[in-house]
Amino acid sequence: ITNSFRKFDLRLYVLVTTYSPLTVWFYRSGFARFSNHRFTMERGDITNSFIHLTNVAVQKTAPNYDRELGCKWDVRSLKLFLMSRHGCEETRALFTR
């Protein structure tokens, strides 16, 4: 589900109120962070922070960083992107499993 084959991470927040029985509350306002460059494991790129780190503080210093697009999407934007690429049913299934 990568965005143009870039490395990403998801920040999703939950609150566990009890363990027995397990009760978990999901906070719907998480976000996804993306690297600024296409992902690669080539030896020459292994130390390239713009490929391997998704921190916004790192990404915004990249020479080709686009302030309009940024590297951080809210969950709603991520879902819309996934729906446009994979359809509503697959995206819905991904978030309900």
Side-chain angles (χ1 to χ4, degrees):
I1 64 170
T2 60
N3 174 4
S4 302
F5 301 101
R6 286 159 165 63
K7 189 172 182 180
F8 71 97
D9 68 69
L10 294 173
R11 291 291 174 103
L12 303 173
Y13 302 97
V14 297
L15 171 65
V16 178
T17 55
T18 62
Y19 290 98
S20 184
L22 182 61
T23 304
V24 179
W25 300 89
F26 178 71
Y27 182 63
R28 297 184 187 271
S29 295
F31 58 89
R33 299 182 306 179
F34 298 89
S35 65
N36 199 41
H37 296 297
R38 189 178 180 96
F39 182 76
T40 178
M41 287 295 292
E42 292 192 24
R43 187 175 298 264
D45 291 326
I46 204 72
T47 60
N48 186 333
S49 297
F50 302 126
I51 294 173
H52 297 289
L53 299 177
T54 60
N55 307 56
V56 175
V58 171
Q59 294 302 319
K60 69 181 182 181
T61 63
N64 62 340
Y65 180 74
D66 183 342
R67 288 197 180 279
E68 295 294 317
L69 291 175
C71 291
K72 188 174 171 180
W73 294 358
D74 59 20
V75 170
R76 183 178 179 278
S77 297
L78 177 63
K79 282 183 178 181
L80 290 172
F81 171 79
L82 292 172
M83 284 182 199
S84 72
R85 292 286 176 97
H86 304 286
C88 292
E89 289 303 315
E90 285 193 40
T91 302
R92 212 172 277 125
L94 178 66
F95 281 89
T96 58
R97 287 187 185 145

Coordinates of all heavy atoms in Angstrom, one line a residue, residues 7-69:
K7 N 8.9 4.5 1.7 CA 8.8 3.9 3.0 C 7.8 4.7 3.8 O 7.7 5.9 3.7 CB 10.1 3.9 3.7 CG 10.2 3.1 5.0 CD 11.6 3.0 5.5 CE 11.6 2.2 6.8 NZ 13.0 2.1 7.2
F8 N 7.0 4.1 4.7 CA 6.0 4.8 5.5 C 5.8 4.1 6.8 O 6.2 3.0 7.1 CB 4.6 4.9 4.8 CG 3.9 3.5 4.7 CD1 3.0 3.2 5.6 CD2 4.3 2.6 3.7 CE1 2.3 2.0 5.5 CE2 3.6 1.4 3.6 CZ 2.6 1.1 4.5
D9 N 5.2 4.8 7.8 CA 4.8 4.3 9.0 C 3.4 4.8 9.4 O 3.0 5.9 8.9 CB 5.8 4.5 10.2 CG 5.9 6.0 10.6 OD1 4.9 6.5 11.2 OD2 6.9 6.6 10.3
L10 N 2.7 4.1 10.1 CA 1.3 4.5 10.6 C 1.4 4.8 12.1 O 2.0 4.1 12.8 CB 0.3 3.4 10.3 CG 0.0 3.1 8.9 CD1 -0.9 1.9 8.8 CD2 -0.6 4.2 8.2
R11 N 0.8 5.9 12.5 CA 0.6 6.2 13.9 C -0.9 6.1 14.2 O -1.7 6.9 13.8 CB 1.1 7.7 14.2 CG 2.5 7.9 14.1 CD 3.2 7.1 15.2 NE 4.7 7.1 15.0 CZ 5.5 7.9 15.7 NH1 5.0 8.7 16.6 NH2 6.8 7.9 15.5
L12 N -1.2 5.0 14.8 CA -2.6 4.8 15.2 C -2.7 4.6 16.7 O -1.9 3.9 17.3 CB -3.1 3.5 14.5 CG -3.0 3.4 13.0 CD1 -3.4 2.1 12.5 CD2 -3.9 4.5 12.4
Y13 N -3.6 5.3 17.3 CA -3.7 5.3 18.8 C -4.9 4.5 19.3 O -6.0 4.6 18.7 CB -3.8 6.8 19.2 CG -2.7 7.6 18.8 CD1 -2.8 8.4 17.6 CD2 -1.4 7.6 19.4 CE1 -1.7 9.2 17.2 CE2 -0.4 8.4 19.0 CZ -0.5 9.2 17.9 OH 0.5 9.9 17.5
V14 N -4.6 3.8 20.4 CA -5.7 3.0 21.0 C -5.6 3.2 22.5 O -4.6 3.6 23.0 CB -5.6 1.5 20.7 CG1 -5.8 1.2 19.2 CG2 -4.3 0.9 21.2
L15 N -6.7 3.0 23.1 CA -6.8 3.1 24.6 C -7.3 1.7 25.0 O -8.4 1.3 24.6 CB -7.8 4.2 25.0 CG -8.1 4.2 26.5 CD1 -6.8 4.5 27.3 CD2 -9.2 5.2 26.8
V16 N -6.5 1.0 25.9 CA -7.0 -0.2 26.4 C -7.5 0.0 27.8 O -6.7 0.5 28.7 CB -5.8 -1.3 26.5 CG1 -6.2 -2.6 27.1 CG2 -5.2 -1.5 25.1
T17 N -8.8 -0.2 28.0 CA -9.4 0.2 29.3 C -9.4 -1.1 30.3 O -9.4 -0.9 31.5 CB -10.8 0.7 29.2 OG1 -11.6 -0.1 28.4 CG2 -10.7 2.1 28.5
T18 N -9.5 -2.3 29.7 CA -9.4 -3.5 30.5 C -8.8 -4.6 29.7 O -8.8 -4.6 28.5 CB -10.8 -4.0 31.0 OG1 -11.6 -4.3 29.8 CG2 -11.6 -2.9 31.8
Y19 N -8.2 -5.5 30.4 CA -7.5 -6.7 29.8 C -8.4 -7.9 29.9 O -8.2 -8.8 29.1 CB -6.2 -6.9 30.4 CG -5.2 -5.9 30.1 CD1 -4.9 -4.8 31.0 CD2 -4.5 -5.9 28.9 CE1 -4.0 -3.8 30.6 CE2 -3.6 -4.9 28.5 CZ -3.3 -3.9 29.4 OH -2.4 -2.9 29.1
S20 N -9.3 -8.0 30.9 CA -10.1 -9.2 31.0 C -11.5 -8.7 31.4 O -11.7 -8.4 32.6 CB -9.5 -10.1 32.1 OG -10.3 -11.3 32.2
P21 N -12.4 -8.6 30.5 CA -12.3 -8.9 29.1 C -11.5 -7.7 28.4 O -11.6 -6.6 28.9 CB -13.7 -9.0 28.6 CG -14.5 -8.0 29.5 CD -13.8 -8.2 30.8
L22 N -10.9 -8.1 27.3 CA -10.1 -7.1 26.6 C -11.1 -6.0 26.0 O -12.0 -6.4 25.2 CB -9.3 -7.7 25.5 CG -8.4 -6.8 24.6 CD1 -7.4 -6.1 25.5 CD2 -7.7 -7.5 23.5
T23 N -10.9 -4.8 26.3 CA -11.6 -3.7 25.7 C -10.7 -2.6 25.2 O -9.9 -2.1 25.9 CB -12.5 -3.0 26.8 OG1 -13.4 -4.0 27.4 CG2 -13.4 -1.9 26.2
V24 N -10.8 -2.4 23.9 CA -9.8 -1.5 23.2 C -10.7 -0.5 22.4 O -11.6 -0.8 21.7 CB -8.9 -2.3 22.2 CG1 -8.0 -1.3 21.5 CG2 -8.2 -3.4 22.9
W25 N -10.3 0.8 22.6 CA -10.9 1.9 21.9 C -9.9 2.5 20.9 O -8.8 2.8 21.2 CB -11.3 3.0 22.9 CG -12.3 2.5 23.9 CD1 -12.0 2.0 25.1 CD2 -13.7 2.5 23.8 NE1 -13.1 1.6 25.8 CE2 -14.2 2.0 25.0 CE3 -14.6 3.0 22.8 CZ2 -15.6 1.8 25.2 CZ3 -16.0 2.8 23.1 CH2 -16.4 2.2 24.2
F26 N -10.4 2.6 19.7 CA -9.5 3.0 18.6 C -9.8 4.5 18.3 O -10.9 4.9 18.1 CB -9.8 2.2 17.3 CG -9.0 2.6 16.1 CD1 -7.7 2.4 16.0 CD2 -9.6 3.3 15.0 CE1 -6.9 2.8 14.9 CE2 -8.9 3.6 13.9 CZ -7.6 3.4 13.9
Y27 N -8.7 5.3 18.3 CA -8.9 6.8 18.0 C -8.7 6.9 16.5 O -7.7 6.5 15.9 CB -7.8 7.5 18.8 CG -7.8 9.0 18.6 CD1 -8.9 9.8 19.0 CD2 -6.8 9.7 18.0 CE1 -9.0 11.2 18.8 CE2 -6.8 11.1 17.8 CZ -7.9 11.8 18.2 OH -7.9 13.2 18.1
R28 N -9.7 7.4 15.8 CA -9.7 7.5 14.4 C -8.8 8.5 13.7 O -8.7 8.6 12.5 CB -11.1 7.6 13.9 CG -12.0 6.5 14.3 CD -13.4 6.6 13.7 NE -14.3 5.6 14.2 CZ -14.4 4.4 13.6 NH1 -13.7 4.1 12.5 NH2 -15.2 3.5 14.1
S29 N -8.2 9.4 14.5 CA -7.4 10.5 13.9 C -5.9 10.2 13.9 O -5.1 11.1 14.3 CB -7.7 11.8 14.7 OG -9.1 12.2 14.5
G30 N -5.5 9.1 13.5 CA -4.1 8.8 13.4 C -3.5 9.4 12.1 O -4.2 10.2 11.5
F31 N -2.3 9.0 11.8 CA -1.7 9.6 10.6 C -0.7 8.6 10.0 O -0.2 7.7 10.7 CB -1.1 11.0 10.8 CG -0.1 11.1 11.9 CD1 1.2 10.9 11.6 CD2 -0.5 11.4 13.2 CE1 2.2 11.0 12.6 CE2 0.5 11.5 14.2 CZ 1.8 11.3 13.9
A32 N -0.3 8.9 8.7 CA 0.7 8.1 8.1 C 1.8 9.1 7.7 O 1.6 10.3 7.3 CB 0.2 7.5 6.8
R33 N 3.1 8.7 7.8 CA 4.3 9.5 7.4 C 5.0 8.8 6.4 O 5.2 7.6 6.4 CB 5.2 9.8 8.6 CG 4.5 10.5 9.8 CD 5.5 10.8 10.9 NE 6.2 9.6 11.3 CZ 7.1 9.5 12.3 NH1 7.4 10.6 12.9 NH2 7.6 8.4 12.7
F34 N 5.5 9.5 5.3 CA 6.1 8.9 4.2 C 7.5 9.5 4.0 O 7.8 10.6 4.4 CB 5.4 9.2 2.9 CG 4.0 8.6 2.9 CD1 2.9 9.4 3.4 CD2 3.8 7.3 2.4 CE1 1.6 8.8 3.4 CE2 2.5 6.8 2.4 CZ 1.4 7.5 2.9
S35 N 8.4 8.7 3.5 CA 9.8 9.2 3.2 C 9.6 10.0 1.9 O 8.7 9.9 1.1 CB 10.8 8.1 3.0 OG 10.4 7.3 1.9
N36 N 10.6 10.8 1.6 CA 10.5 11.7 0.5 C 11.1 11.1 -0.8 O 10.8 11.6 -1.9 CB 11.4 13.0 0.8 CG 11.0 14.2 -0.1 OD1 9.9 14.4 -0.4 ND2 12.0 14.9 -0.5
H37 N 11.8 10.0 -0.7 CA 12.4 9.3 -1.9 C 11.9 7.9 -2.0 O 11.5 7.3 -1.0 CB 13.9 9.3 -1.8 CG 14.5 10.7 -1.8 ND1 14.4 11.5 -2.9 CD2 15.2 11.3 -0.9 CE1 15.1 12.6 -2.6 NE2 15.6 12.6 -1.4
R38 N 11.9 7.4 -3.2 CA 11.5 6.0 -3.5 C 12.4 5.1 -2.7 O 13.6 5.2 -2.6 CB 11.7 5.8 -5.0 CG 11.1 4.5 -5.5 CD 11.3 4.4 -7.0 NE 10.8 3.2 -7.5 CZ 9.6 3.0 -8.0 NH1 8.8 4.0 -8.1 NH2 9.2 1.8 -8.4
F39 N 11.8 4.0 -2.1 CA 12.5 3.1 -1.3 C 13.4 2.2 -2.1 O 13.1 1.8 -3.2 CB 11.5 2.2 -0.6 CG 12.1 1.2 0.4 CD1 12.6 1.6 1.6 CD2 12.3 -0.1 0.0 CE1 13.2 0.7 2.4 CE2 12.9 -1.0 0.8 CZ 13.4 -0.6 2.1
T40 N 14.6 2.0 -1.5 CA 15.6 1.1 -2.1 C 16.5 0.5 -1.0 O 16.7 1.1 0.0 CB 16.5 1.8 -3.2 OG1 17.5 0.9 -3.7 CG2 17.2 3.0 -2.6
M41 N 17.0 -0.7 -1.2 CA 17.9 -1.3 -0.3 C 19.3 -1.4 -0.9 O 20.2 -2.1 -0.4 CB 17.4 -2.7 0.1 CG 16.3 -2.7 1.0 SD 16.6 -2.0 2.7 CE 17.7 -3.2 3.3
E42 N 19.5 -0.6 -2.0 CA 20.9 -0.7 -2.6 C 21.9 -0.2 -1.7 O 21.7 0.8 -0.9 CB 20.8 0.2 -3.9 CG 19.9 -0.4 -5.0 CD 20.1 0.2 -6.3 OE1 21.2 0.8 -6.6 OE2 19.2 0.1 -7.1
R43 N 23.1 -0.8 -1.7 CA 24.2 -0.5 -0.8 C 24.5 1.0 -0.7 O 24.8 1.5 0.4 CB 25.4 -1.4 -1.2 CG 26.5 -1.3 -0.2 CD 27.6 -2.2 -0.6 NE 27.2 -3.6 -0.6 CZ 27.4 -4.5 0.4 NH1 28.0 -4.1 1.5 NH2 26.9 -5.7 0.3
G44 N 24.6 1.6 -1.8 CA 25.0 3.0 -1.9 C 23.9 4.0 -1.2 O 24.2 5.1 -0.9
D45 N 22.7 3.5 -1.0 CA 21.6 4.3 -0.5 C 21.3 4.0 1.0 O 20.4 4.6 1.6 CB 20.4 4.2 -1.3 CG 20.5 4.8 -2.7 OD1 21.2 5.8 -2.8 OD2 19.9 4.3 -3.6
I46 N 22.0 3.0 1.5 CA 21.6 2.5 2.9 C 21.7 3.6 4.0 O 21.0 3.6 5.0 CB 22.4 1.3 3.2 CG1 21.6 0.4 4.3 CG2 23.8 1.6 3.7 CD1 20.4 -0.2 3.8
T47 N 22.6 4.6 3.8 CA 22.7 5.7 4.8 C 21.9 6.9 4.4 O 22.0 7.9 5.1 CB 24.2 6.1 4.9 OG1 24.7 6.5 3.7 CG2 25.0 4.9 5.4
N48 N 21.1 6.9 3.3 CA 20.3 8.0 2.9 C 19.1 8.2 3.8 O 18.1 7.4 3.7 CB 19.9 7.9 1.5 CG 19.2 9.1 0.9 OD1 18.6 9.9 1.6 ND2 19.3 9.3 -0.4
S49 N 19.1 9.2 4.7 CA 18.0 9.4 5.6 C 16.7 9.7 4.9 O 15.6 9.4 5.5 CB 18.4 10.5 6.6 OG 19.5 10.2 7.4
F50 N 16.7 10.3 3.8 CA 15.5 10.7 3.1 C 14.8 9.5 2.5 O 13.6 9.6 2.2 CB 15.8 11.7 2.0 CG 16.5 13.0 2.4 CD1 17.7 13.4 1.9 CD2 15.9 13.7 3.5 CE1 18.3 14.6 2.3 CE2 16.5 14.9 3.9 CZ 17.7 15.3 3.4
I51 N 15.5 8.4 2.4 CA 14.9 7.1 1.9 C 14.4 6.3 3.1 O 13.3 5.7 3.0 CB 15.9 6.3 1.1 CG1 16.2 7.0 -0.2 CG2 15.3 4.9 0.8 CD1 17.3 6.3 -1.0
H52 N 15.1 6.3 4.2 CA 14.9 5.3 5.2 C 14.2 5.8 6.5 O 13.7 5.1 7.3 CB 16.2 4.6 5.6 CG 16.7 3.8 4.5 ND1 16.1 2.6 4.0 CD2 17.8 4.0 3.6 CE1 16.8 2.2 3.0 NE2 17.8 3.0 2.7
L53 N 14.1 7.2 6.7 CA 13.4 7.7 7.8 C 12.2 8.5 7.4 O 12.2 9.1 6.4 CB 14.4 8.7 8.6 CG 15.6 8.1 9.1 CD1 16.5 9.2 9.8 CD2 15.4 7.0 10.1
T54 N 11.1 8.4 8.2 CA 9.9 9.0 7.8 C 9.6 10.2 8.7 O 8.6 10.9 8.5 CB 8.7 8.0 8.0 OG1 8.6 7.6 9.3 CG2 8.8 6.9 7.0
N55 N 10.5 10.6 9.6 CA 10.3 11.8 10.4 C 10.1 13.0 9.6 O 11.0 13.3 8.7 CB 11.5 12.0 11.4 CG 11.8 10.7 12.1 OD1 12.1 9.7 11.6 ND2 11.9 10.9 13.5
V56 N 9.1 13.8 9.9 CA 8.9 15.0 9.1 C 10.1 16.0 9.3 O 10.5 16.7 8.4 CB 7.5 15.7 9.6 CG1 7.3 17.0 8.9 CG2 6.4 14.8 9.3
A57 N 10.6 16.0 10.5 CA 11.8 16.9 10.8 C 12.9 16.6 9.8 O 13.7 17.5 9.4 CB 12.2 16.8 12.2
V58 N 13.1 15.3 9.5 CA 14.2 14.9 8.5 C 13.7 15.2 7.1 O 14.4 15.8 6.3 CB 14.5 13.4 8.7 CG1 15.4 13.0 7.6 CG2 15.1 13.2 10.0
Q59 N 12.5 14.8 6.8 CA 12.0 14.9 5.4 C 11.9 16.3 4.9 O 12.2 16.6 3.7 CB 10.7 14.2 5.3 CG 10.7 12.7 5.5 CD 11.7 12.0 4.5 OE1 11.7 12.3 3.3 NE2 12.4 11.1 5.0
K60 N 11.6 17.3 5.7 CA 11.4 18.7 5.3 C 12.7 19.3 4.9 O 12.7 20.4 4.3 CB 10.6 19.5 6.3 CG 11.3 19.8 7.5 CD 10.4 20.6 8.5 CE 11.1 20.9 9.8 NZ 10.2 21.7 10.6
T61 N 13.9 18.7 5.2 CA 15.2 19.2 4.8 C 15.7 18.6 3.5 O 16.7 19.0 3.0 CB 16.2 19.0 5.9 OG1 16.4 17.6 6.1 CG2 15.8 19.6 7.2
A62 N 14.9 17.7 2.9 CA 15.3 17.2 1.6 C 15.2 18.2 0.5 O 14.4 19.1 0.5 CB 14.3 16.0 1.2
P63 N 16.2 18.2 -0.4 CA 16.3 19.2 -1.5 C 15.0 19.3 -2.3 O 14.6 20.4 -2.7 CB 17.4 18.8 -2.3 CG 18.2 17.8 -1.5 CD 17.3 17.2 -0.5
N64 N 14.3 18.2 -2.5 CA 13.1 18.2 -3.4 C 11.8 18.1 -2.6 O 10.8 17.7 -3.1 CB 13.2 17.1 -4.4 CG 13.2 15.7 -3.8 OD1 13.5 15.6 -2.6 ND2 12.9 14.7 -4.5
Y65 N 11.8 18.5 -1.3 CA 10.7 18.5 -0.4 C 9.6 19.5 -0.9 O 9.9 20.6 -1.2 CB 11.0 18.8 1.0 CG 9.9 18.8 2.0 CD1 9.3 17.6 2.4 CD2 9.4 20.0 2.5 CE1 8.3 17.6 3.3 CE2 8.3 20.0 3.4 CZ 7.8 18.8 3.8 OH 6.7 18.7 4.6
D66 N 8.4 19.0 -1.0 CA 7.3 19.8 -1.5 C 6.4 20.2 -0.3 O 5.7 19.4 0.2 CB 6.5 19.1 -2.6 CG 5.3 19.9 -3.2 OD1 4.9 20.9 -2.6 OD2 4.9 19.5 -4.2
R67 N 6.5 21.5 0.1 CA 5.7 21.9 1.3 C 4.2 21.7 1.1 O 3.5 21.5 2.1 CB 6.0 23.3 1.6 CG 7.4 23.5 2.2 CD 7.5 24.9 2.9 NE 8.8 25.0 3.5 CZ 9.3 24.5 4.6 NH1 8.4 23.8 5.3 NH2 10.5 24.7 5.1
E68 N 3.7 21.8 -0.1 CA 2.3 21.7 -0.4 C 1.8 20.3 -0.2 O 0.8 20.0 0.4 CB 2.0 22.1 -1.8 CG 2.2 23.6 -2.1 CD 1.3 24.5 -1.3 OE1 0.1 24.2 -1.3 OE2 1.7 25.5 -0.8
L69 N 2.6 19.3 -0.6 CA 2.3 17.9 -0.5 C 2.7 17.3 0.9 O 1.9 16.6 1.5 CB 2.9 17.0 -1.5 CG 2.4 17.2 -3.0 CD1 3.2 16.4 -3.9 CD2 0.9 16.8 -3.0

